[in-house]
Amino acid sequence: MDVSKIQAALRLIARGLEELAGALGEQEAGEDERTARVIHEWGRRGLTQKEASELFQRHGFAPQTTGGWARGDWVEIGDDGLRYLTAKSHAWLEERS
């Protein structure tokens, strides 16, 4: 099993579904706008894994997005086990304003 090929195929499917969703009706917010909404709603509080997943889902992201953000240094897990946005996330939002 070639995991990298499976990952690439899943990413293509996800992009295709995003395009399909956009074609169904009103244009929803783009990824940057949805990202800004997540950061704004999350703020500086810590979230459990479940809370973070639900937040991403509310804004049109996959629930697993937290893991990707953690790998990209946008989210960190605190000593208390909660997920926090990093300074990088807050700086991105401020630069966008």
Side-chain angles (χ1 to χ4, degrees):
M1 178 184 319
D2 187 341
V3 175
S4 63
K5 285 185 180 180
I6 294 170
Q7 289 173 323
L10 288 172
R11 287 186 184 98
L12 286 174
I13 291 169
R15 278 189 227 123
L17 291 174
E18 182 73 27
E19 289 181 29
L20 179 60
L24 291 175
E26 292 183 25
Q27 185 66 27
E28 69 176 45
E31 185 173 346
D32 280 356
E33 179 60 33
R34 291 182 294 126
T35 298
R37 291 176 185 174
V38 167
I39 294 170
H40 180 74
E41 186 175 338
W42 192 325
R44 299 200 180 273
R45 64 193 166 104
L47 299 178
T48 65
Q49 181 178 5
K50 182 179 179 189
E51 291 169 332
S53 294
E54 290 170 352
L55 175 62
F56 280 113
Q57 284 183 296
R58 275 197 305 276
H59 293 283
F61 291 99
Q64 302 85 358
T65 303
T66 308
W69 280 34
R71 287 187 294 281
D73 295 326
W74 288 65
V75 170
E76 61 188 0
I77 299 176
D79 293 336
D80 56 4
L82 297 177
R83 281 103 182 114
Y84 293 89
L85 293 176
T86 63
K88 179 179 179 177
S89 298
H90 295 291
W92 180 88
L93 184 61
E94 286 181 25
E95 290 171 8
R96 193 173 183 283
S97 301

